[in-house]
Amino acid sequence: MILGNPIARGNTAKIYLSDNKIVKIFNDFLPDTESIKEANKQSYAYSCGLPVPKILEVTKINGEQAIIMEYVKGETLGDLMFKNKEQAEYYMNVSVDMQLKVHSIIPEGIESMYDKLYSQIETVNNLDKKQKSYMLNKLGSFSYENRLCHGDFHLFNLIKTETQVVVIDWVDSSAGDIRADIYRTYLLYSQFSSELADMYLRLYCEKSGLLRSEVSQWAPIIAGARLSESVSSENSERLMEIINNYCPII
């Protein structure tokens, strides 16, 4: 398979367009199960009737893990918004409506959000022991009905085609509390724009009937889990400030 140059790069993989298909080549430092794990999550979302690219094959290319999937032609809502910033609220509305559809699904047989977050927080080295204990205890204190959560839901993971909006990048999806998923999206937006983040949270709360205070209960846990990801564009001091606001070191 001739891949040429990647059309996108992420923290875990490079994306290629070849023969009218998307080829995702995973970085070699990841576990051998990474490709099948992601493919299974995306296939599950597809099986629920959500607009998601169909997985065509899980394979190896030049010795590296790869997923081959349906190519979805269009632009991300993020790109469209930046071309026409006056339409920001319109695109955010479209995204919230789609996230509500995702959150309406009661999932079966996919990764537990509790297990995922617990494992992430456990691995963070620069957290005070008391803070880590506080977060893990708080994580176990929530009661909720499991719903399908995307885990990385934002305008750049939504592609607008001629007929619909398609949700991509399901690697972080899990079964858990939608309030945690909402806060995760809020946290991602607030990294770049507090205005966008506030717009998103206002729209989601208006449409769902949730209170902002319900969502913000998840703040220290999601910020703590985010620390474990070591994302180069993320400010760890910002995350620690959020954590310290909820569970200060005494």
Side-chain angles (χ1 to χ4, degrees):
M1 178 178 281
I2 299 170
L3 295 176
N5 294 319
I7 60 170
R9 296 173 185 267
N11 291 319
T12 60
K14 294 184 285 291
I15 309 295
Y16 299 85
L17 176 58
S18 178
D19 193 25
N20 207 37
K21 297 170 187 171
I22 289 294
V23 182
K24 185 169 187 175
I25 307 288
F26 290 80
N27 294 336
D28 57 12
F29 62 79
L30 294 166
D32 291 340
T33 55
E34 195 68 19
S35 57
I36 192 68
K37 178 182 172 184
E38 179 171 342
N40 285 342
K41 287 183 175 184
Q42 189 163 318
S43 293
Y44 177 75
Y46 182 88
S47 76
C48 292
L50 292 169
V52 176
K54 185 177 183 180
I55 298 292
L56 303 175
E57 186 181 0
V58 181
T59 185
K60 284 200 170 185
I61 297 175
N62 299 325
E64 295 179 312
Q65 296 180 78
I67 298 175
I68 302 173
M69 68 185 83
E70 173 189 8
Y71 170 51
V72 176
K73 187 176 181 180
E75 291 186 81
T76 70
L77 293 189
D79 288 329
L80 290 168
M81 184 197 70
F82 278 108
K83 285 180 183 178
N84 189 355
K85 292 183 181 178
E86 292 179 356
Q87 292 293 308
E89 187 155 340
Y90 166 76
Y91 290 118
M92 193 63 80
N93 260 304
V94 172
S95 76
V96 168
D97 287 343
M98 181 56 69
Q99 195 173 23
L100 284 162
K101 287 182 183 177
V102 174
H103 288 165
S104 72
I105 293 169
I106 300 173
E108 295 179 4
I110 69 165
E111 184 178 14
S112 156
M113 176 188 283
Y114 173 88
D115 292 345
K116 187 175 190 297
L117 293 174
Y118 195 101
S119 176
Q120 286 179 304
I121 292 167
E122 282 250 278
T123 64
V124 179
N125 293 322
N126 56 329
L127 279 174
D128 179 81
K129 285 183 179 180
K130 287 183 180 178
Q131 288 180 315
K132 190 178 286 192
S133 177
Y134 169 86
M135 280 188 275
L136 294 176
N137 287 333
K138 189 167 180 64
L139 174 61
S141 72
F142 288 110
S143 59
Y144 52 88
E145 180 181 31
N146 270 337
R147 296 297 177 105
L148 182 60
C149 296
H150 182 274
D152 196 25
F153 198 92
H154 53 76
L155 292 168
F156 288 96
N157 275 336
L158 297 164
I159 298 175
K160 190 178 188 306
T161 72
E162 290 183 355
T163 58
Q164 63 180 344
V165 172
V166 176
V167 189
I168 62 171
D169 201 359
W170 287 83
V171 64
D172 291 315
S173 62
S174 64
D177 189 337
I178 64 169
R179 296 170 298 182
D181 203 38
I182 297 162
Y183 188 82
R184 165 77 176 189
T185 298
Y186 173 83
L187 185 69
L188 295 175
Y189 285 139
S190 65
Q191 178 183 349
F192 302 104
S193 167
S194 59
E195 185 180 352
L196 267 184
D198 287 338
M199 179 194 294
Y200 160 74
L201 192 54
R202 171 176 61 80
L203 290 172
Y204 196 105
C205 288
E206 284 175 1
K207 289 172 182 283
S208 66
L210 286 172
L211 298 175
R212 186 181 180 118
S213 58
E214 294 179 78
V215 175
S216 64
Q217 291 179 80
W218 278 92
I221 295 164
I222 301 302
R226 178 75 168 159
L227 275 173
S228 75
E229 297 171 25
S230 302
V231 178
S232 58
S233 61
E234 181 59 271
N235 183 346
S236 60
E237 290 179 7
R238 176 182 90 104
L239 297 175
M240 285 305 304
E241 188 176 328
I242 293 168
I243 293 165
N244 289 334
N245 281 341
Y246 286 86
C247 42
I249 301 172
I250 300 171

